[in-house]
Amino acid sequence: MLTLIDGNSLLFRAYYGVHSRLTRRDGTPTGAVYGFFNMVLPVLAAAKPNDSFVCVFDASRITFRMDIYPAYKMNRDETPADLLTQGVMIRTGLSDMGVPVLCVPGVEADDVIATLATQNTDGETRIITSDKDLMQLINDRVFLYDGMKSHDVRAPEVLEKFGVAPTQVVDVQSLMGDSTDNVPGVRGIGPKKASELINQFGTL
């Protein structure tokens, strides 16, 4: 099995999690590091001989999407300095454990994860993430894993959240928009109406 670790998703989730205030004696913040590896280490420990792992992080905020839509993610604050510090610590720790870390300039970690998941035809692909956007990748070979809740996310969970099949998630999101990424949807259409329309018409 190929396991793809969504580094940014886990880092942010750990940074804003219950252990966010942890520090070393010298004051160095470690809460995000602790939370990140709490989600990842159990999976690594349970690995089988033929399993492989890759962790993917964003190289920077600048991606090709900003050329298409300059307002993309422009509503976000600057990344806190202590989060950046812990990100470096996490990447170093992963490398020391033999887990490859990928950061590809000009594209998002999601794009790299989607490419690797699509290209892997040798068994299943598990994606450790809490990012709902990656639900569109789920099929009979690809599934998500929520490291915080320790459970798999497959087509039934997608249907429960979005009201549609994984292949239709992008259609629903296109209609409803995504305020997190500063992407507008169709005025007056929320998640419920978007899923109703896609179930009625099939596609956007």
Side-chain angles (χ1 to χ4, degrees):
M1 179 187 294
L2 171 64
T3 295
L4 304 173
I5 303 169
D6 184 354
N8 286 87
S9 172
L10 270 61
L11 172 59
F12 276 88
R13 192 168 187 180
Y15 180 77
Y16 292 104
V18 295
H19 303 292
S20 60
R21 297 184 182 276
L22 289 178
T23 63
R24 294 195 311 215
R25 289 183 178 180
D26 63 3
T28 302
T30 57
V33 179
Y34 180 82
F36 183 96
F37 284 107
N38 259 359
M39 290 183 274
V40 171
L41 286 178
V43 178
L44 295 176
K48 297 177 181 178
N50 292 328
D51 290 347
S52 55
F53 296 84
V54 178
C55 185
V56 187
F57 284 91
D58 289 336
S60 72
R61 285 194 172 194
I62 307 302
T63 72
F64 72 94
R65 286 185 175 82
M66 291 178 175
D67 295 330
I68 301 170
Y69 180 56
Y72 181 64
K73 291 189 176 181
M74 292 301 290
N75 58 333
R76 297 191 179 186
D77 297 329
E78 287 295 317
T79 305
D82 59 333
L83 189 153
L84 293 173
T85 299
Q86 293 183 83
V88 173
M89 295 167 66
I90 288 169
R91 290 193 290 274
T92 301
L94 289 167
S95 296
D96 288 346
M97 290 189 293
V99 177
V101 176
L102 285 180
C103 302
V104 182
V107 297
E108 294 184 44
D110 287 2
D111 300 311
V112 180
I113 289 170
T115 300
L116 293 173
T118 302
Q119 291 181 348
N120 179 36
T121 57
D122 185 21
E124 286 191 308
T125 298
R126 169 177 53 191
I127 304 171
I128 305 179
T129 186
S130 60
D131 189 347
K132 66 182 186 305
D133 293 348
L134 294 176
M135 286 184 172
Q136 63 189 278
L137 298 175
I138 292 175
N139 55 37
D140 58 348
R141 294 186 301 101
V142 179
F143 66 98
L144 309 188
Y145 176 78
D146 188 326
M148 188 76 77
K149 299 178 181 178
S150 301
H151 75 84
D152 296 343
V153 178
R154 298 181 185 267
E157 286 76 23
V158 177
L159 182 63
E160 181 179 352
K161 181 172 182 60
F162 283 102
V164 296
T167 55
Q168 298 170 307
V169 167
V170 66
D171 298 278
V172 168
Q173 288 183 304
S174 297
L175 285 172
M176 60 184 272
D178 190 344
S179 59
T180 304
D181 291 341
N182 202 35
V183 176
V186 178
R187 188 185 301 274
I189 295 183
K192 183 177 180 180
K193 185 63 177 177
S195 65
E196 288 177 356
L197 287 169
I198 296 305
N199 277 307
Q200 180 181 352
F201 294 102
T203 68
L204 184 60

